[in-house]
Amino acid sequence: MELSTLWFLLIAGLFIGYFVLEGFDFGVGMLVPVLGRDDRERRVIINTIGPLWDGNEVWLITAGGAMFAAFPEWYATLFSGFYLPLLLILVALILRGVAFDYRGKRPEPSWRRRWDAAIVFGSAVPAFVWGVAFANIVRGVPLDAQHNFTGGLLDLLNPYALLGGLTTTALFLTHGAIFLALKTAGDIRTRANRLAERSGLLALALAALFLGLTLTHRATPTAVVLSVLAALCLVGALVANRLPSRTDPQGRREGWAFAGTAAAIALAVASLFAGLHPNVMPSTVDAALNSLTVANASSTPYTLKIMTWVALVFAPIVVLYQGWTYWVFRKRITTHHIPD
């Protein structure tokens, strides 16, 4: 396997990890005022992702750095053509991080409501805009012979891309609701289970439509198989979310349900990259001559070789550390853990 193809797969893996892990905390952020009936319950919801959300964003930073080093032309075209959407994502993520820190600085309910609204905004906007961005990458954008983006913001807001944004939002909302059911107990757990049932059906319908339309643009055997598996995993997650638990008479099989939504998101993103390859950014002007591909967008073989050795050393360390973090904070949280 050529190193350029290897790094395409690695970048795909980084984005898969980002959407699976950041996806559930986007969903949790959107649900803070929905499932939290009072301030103590909202604090429980926020605390489920408190030790995790900033570590999840490392996957995005690493993916962006890997793209910059391995495929500089892809990075340049993407970040210049998608400047406004990516800037909106960045502002939303900054606002969300500030909201997590500042929400508890003052006791007034109005103060906390405003920061709760900031958490919802900072979670919903990236969830939607990432779907719009990736849908446009897969569909193709207007590129000239120098691989410069020649379109405008309205070109990115086409119906297919908006459907992609709605799909990722619904998937992350369901993923977050099931995560809350897995990490909490009592009334929050019950309400999260019920919400996951309703949002999961919507996510399934949107995902089926979006992946079906995607396969009309980028139908490869691998993409078809991954899309079908993604749909089956999502169905399995919704079934598991309704099944009673054998060890907890009042609970459901949230662990299997969470594994199902995680697998569904991972397989869906993998299907997008499988349909995209060997392109990294197709052109709608002249697909044969103007598209960016793994071959014409990559760095030199020497650069890719150095990057490969660095990744072999440091990637396992980062993954092990993050896995240890999830293990330490694996227990359920209830309102009894929240001081007055």
Side-chain angles (χ1 to χ4, degrees):
M1 180 186 296
E2 295 183 357
L3 289 179
S4 57
T5 302
L6 173 64
W7 274 98
F8 176 83
L9 295 175
L10 290 175
I11 290 171
L14 290 170
F15 275 110
I16 289 171
Y18 174 69
F19 286 130
V20 169
L21 298 178
E22 191 81 330
F24 73 74
D25 70 49
F26 283 154
V28 170
M30 288 186 277
L31 294 174
V32 168
V34 177
L35 297 180
R37 298 294 173 80
D38 54 35
D39 185 65
R40 181 169 288 192
E41 289 189 349
R42 288 190 285 272
R43 288 166 66 189
V44 168
I45 293 171
I46 293 172
N47 284 0
T48 61
I49 58 172
L52 309 173
W53 68 269
D54 50 354
N56 293 340
E57 291 184 355
V58 171
W59 290 79
L60 174 62
I61 297 170
T62 307
M67 187 184 295
F68 173 78
F71 299 98
E73 284 209 52
W74 184 14
Y75 179 93
T77 302
L78 177 64
F79 278 76
S80 60
F82 290 41
Y83 179 80
L84 288 177
L86 294 177
L87 178 62
L88 183 59
I89 290 174
L90 179 61
V91 170
L93 292 177
I94 292 172
L95 181 62
R96 189 175 72 131
V98 172
F100 284 138
D101 287 335
Y102 275 74
R103 183 188 185 277
K105 298 299 183 183
R106 292 171 59 178
E108 293 89 346
S110 59
W111 171 271
R112 296 191 174 188
R113 281 196 300 270
R114 285 193 291 268
W115 287 116
D116 288 344
I119 293 173
V120 174
F121 176 84
S123 302
V125 168
F128 178 77
V129 177
W130 274 123
V132 172
F134 265 82
N136 276 295
I137 292 173
V138 174
R139 174 179 176 270
V141 292
L143 301 179
D144 61 18
Q146 287 74 42
H147 302 143
N148 296 316
F149 179 76
T150 58
L153 180 61
L154 293 179
D155 293 309
L156 303 180
L157 300 178
N158 55 80
Y160 171 74
L162 295 176
L163 175 62
L166 293 175
T167 301
T168 52
T169 304
L171 280 173
F172 293 166
L173 191 70
T174 304
H175 196 34
I178 291 177
F179 178 79
L180 280 175
L182 180 65
K183 287 288 291 179
T184 60
D187 292 339
I188 300 176
R189 180 184 184 183
T190 302
R191 291 196 293 268
N193 278 131
R194 292 172 180 171
L195 181 69
E197 291 180 5
R198 297 191 295 270
S199 65
L201 293 175
L202 176 62
L204 180 61
L206 290 172
L209 178 60
F210 175 71
L211 291 176
L213 290 175
T214 300
L215 294 177
T216 63
H217 294 291
R218 309 288 173 193
T220 65
T222 303
V224 172
V225 171
L226 292 174
S227 297
V228 172
L229 290 176
L232 292 176
C233 285
L234 186 54
V235 171
L238 299 181
V239 172
N241 186 59
R242 292 181 60 89
L243 292 177
S245 172
R246 293 180 179 178
T247 58
D248 184 357
Q250 296 181 343
R252 305 183 189 183
R253 300 188 182 185
E254 293 102 350
W256 286 107
F258 182 74
T261 53
I265 293 172
L267 290 167
V269 178
S271 72
L272 297 182
F273 278 95
L276 189 62
H277 188 268
N279 296 310
V280 294
M281 187 168 282
S283 172
T284 57
V285 177
D286 190 331
L289 298 178
N290 296 359
S291 295
L292 278 169
T293 67
V294 170
N296 65 22
S298 66
S299 295
T300 63
Y302 181 75
T303 300
L304 296 178
K305 183 177 180 180
I306 296 297
M307 289 175 60
T308 303
W309 284 110
V310 172
L312 286 174
V313 174
F314 289 102
I317 298 174
V318 174
V319 172
L320 287 173
Y321 174 76
Q322 191 163 22
W324 174 80
T325 303
Y326 275 83
W327 176 255
V328 170
F329 296 101
R330 68 189 182 278
K331 294 184 179 180
R332 293 181 183 270
I333 304 174
T334 69
T335 53
H336 300 295
H337 296 110
I338 304 298
D340 292 331

